[in-house]
Amino acid sequence: MPDMSASLAMTHMIPLADEINNDKVTPGVLGFIVFAALALGVWMLMKSMNRHMGKVDFEETPDPSAATPAAAPGKSAPKNA
């Protein structure tokens, strides 16, 4: 029975092929080449960006106010003379 459904599907597709308009403008090969070139360019830019981001060595400096230890509640901090 699977052969019957495949042939039935093909008979439904044949009339659709006759309805193709030959005057219709499509992107064609040139459109594909331009799209492929753009995709290749984006891929190369992403690869380059990934390489440059890997070279970045960023260490955030600690906040100076958070670096000093907080005094215990109820006690005053010692003063440096």
Side-chain angles (χ1 to χ4, degrees), residues 5-77:
S5 63
S7 65
L8 184 63
M10 290 302 289
T11 57
H12 286 295
M13 291 298 208
I14 291 173
L16 293 177
D18 291 336
E19 294 176 8
I20 294 175
N21 186 356
N22 291 333
D23 297 327
K24 187 177 184 180
V25 177
T26 61
V29 177
L30 180 62
F32 174 75
I33 292 171
V34 169
F35 181 77
L38 287 172
L40 182 65
V42 168
W43 179 75
M44 289 172 59
L45 283 172
M46 293 287 285
K47 189 173 179 179
S48 174
M49 181 190 69
N50 206 8
R51 190 179 319 123
H52 281 83
M53 291 299 285
K55 291 180 183 178
V56 173
D57 184 27
F58 176 73
E59 292 183 21
E60 188 173 346
T61 58
D63 189 13
S65 63
T68 58
K75 296 182 179 179
S76 62

